[in-house]
């Protein structure tokens, strides 16, 4: 079996080369804990019951909390399913040992002459915290966006109160290109600013 150092090296190489993770990748052990869990990121399967897992366990609690996304907190299940599944170019789920712990989508951010810029949204289960799944999904999305023909990725509305997301996007090479003052009425912090983050996906020449 691969050693811990080998697994970490695979993880770092994938990130440094701005490539997505392999379809299957041994998860990074937490605090030195030995694990044989496999992380699989795959396309959402509407006929396979994926929605019946991600809606109640991942998406619904995040929407109802109203702390990170601009969805109406009282949005219906059908409304959110349209936004997360039907409108995007493609939607994915992240599984560990067959249990879905995260999901993300890729969609066009603009049309016409700016249709080469995509946008992504990510959600993960509380059980995924600290396990590198958010990082894996974002890295996977960078690779998938290129494969789907996009040249850049833009996050339109990242709340400054969402410290974990800001750290992760910066770590993966996104830069802040704008700020929207007092953009979001946060249920805990009141009016908070949001930033726009951008990353060019093609190698600079």
């Amino acid at each position: 079996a691969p050693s811990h150092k080998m697994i970490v090296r695979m993880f770092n190489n994938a990130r440094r080369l701005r490539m997505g993770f392999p379809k299957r990748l041994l998860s990074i052990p937490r605090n030195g804990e030995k694990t044989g869990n496999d992380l699989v990121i795959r396309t959402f399967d509407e006929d396979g019951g994926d929605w019946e897992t991600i809606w109640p366990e991942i998406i619904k609690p995040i929407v109802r909390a109203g702390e990170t996304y601009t969805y109406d907190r009282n949005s219906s299940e059908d409304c959110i399913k349209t936004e997360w599944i039907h409108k995007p170019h493609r939607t994915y789920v992240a599984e560990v040992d067959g249990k879905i712990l995260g999901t993300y989508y890729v969609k066009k951010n603009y049309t016409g002459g700016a249709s080469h810029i995509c946008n992504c949204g990510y959600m993960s289960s509380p059980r995924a915290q600290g396990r590198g799944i958010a990082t894996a999904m974002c890295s996977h999305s960078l690779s998938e966006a290129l494969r789907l023909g996009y040249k850049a990725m833009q996050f339109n509305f990242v709340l400054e109160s969402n410290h974990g997301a800001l750290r992760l996007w910066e770590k993966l090479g996104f830069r802040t290109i704008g700020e929207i003052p007092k953009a979001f009425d946060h249920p805990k912090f009141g009016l908070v600013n949001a930033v726009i983050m951008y990353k060019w996906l093609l190698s600079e020449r």
Side-chain angles (χ1 to χ4, degrees):
S3 67
H4 176 268
K5 288 183 179 179
M6 185 181 298
I7 295 171
V8 171
R9 188 158 55 248
M10 290 167 59
F11 177 92
N12 289 334
N13 286 343
R15 184 173 59 197
R16 183 166 55 250
L17 292 172
R18 300 180 181 179
M19 295 172 59
F21 286 80
K23 182 99 177 178
R24 297 181 65 84
L25 175 69
L26 287 175
S27 61
I28 305 300
R30 299 181 61 188
N31 301 321
E33 178 185 4
K34 293 182 179 179
T35 175
N37 293 343
D38 283 330
L39 170 62
V40 179
I41 299 178
R42 59 169 175 80
T43 304
F44 171 85
D45 183 359
E46 188 155 13
D47 296 327
D50 287 351
W51 180 255
E52 286 70 27
T53 297
I54 65 174
W55 166 247
E57 297 184 13
I58 299 174
I59 297 178
K60 183 179 178 180
I62 292 173
V63 170
R64 297 292 183 255
E67 297 180 359
T68 51
Y69 281 84
T70 58
Y71 299 129
D72 187 312
R73 295 171 69 177
N74 298 312
S75 295
S76 69
E77 178 179 350
D78 286 344
C79 176
I80 298 300
K81 187 175 184 180
T82 296
E83 296 295 324
W84 199 267
I85 305 299
H86 298 146
K87 286 186 177 181
H89 190 156
R90 195 152 298 168
T91 303
Y92 303 82
V93 296
E95 295 179 322
V96 174
D97 280 350
K99 297 178 181 178
I100 298 177
L101 297 181
T103 177
Y104 81 87
Y105 65 73
V106 180
K107 67 179 182 181
K108 286 184 180 180
N109 201 43
Y110 305 105
T111 58
S115 61
H116 61 282
I117 303 175
C118 70
N119 170 258
C120 291
Y122 312 82
M123 290 188 184
S124 57
S125 164
R127 293 178 296 160
Q129 188 171 1
R131 300 175 69 173
I133 291 175
T135 302
M137 288 196 298
C138 188
S139 296
H140 187 270
S141 72
L142 297 176
S143 177
E144 282 295 288
L146 278 171
R147 191 180 67 81
L148 293 171
Y150 296 106
K151 299 178 182 178
M153 187 178 293
Q154 180 173 310
F155 301 144
N156 301 315
F157 202 88
V158 184
L159 298 181
E160 290 188 347
S161 56
N162 194 352
H163 304 299
L166 286 170
R167 285 195 299 268
L168 176 55
W169 308 152
E170 290 171 355
K171 184 179 180 180
L172 293 178
F174 286 83
R175 59 189 179 90
T176 298
I177 60 172
E179 182 177 44
I180 310 170
K182 299 179 180 178
F184 186 83
D185 192 359
H186 196 284
K188 294 180 180 177
F189 308 124
L191 292 174
V192 298
N193 297 347
V195 296
I196 304 164
M197 304 187 77
Y198 175 90
K199 180 180 176 70
W200 183 250
L201 301 178
L202 300 180
S203 299
E204 298 290 350
R205 294 181 179 179

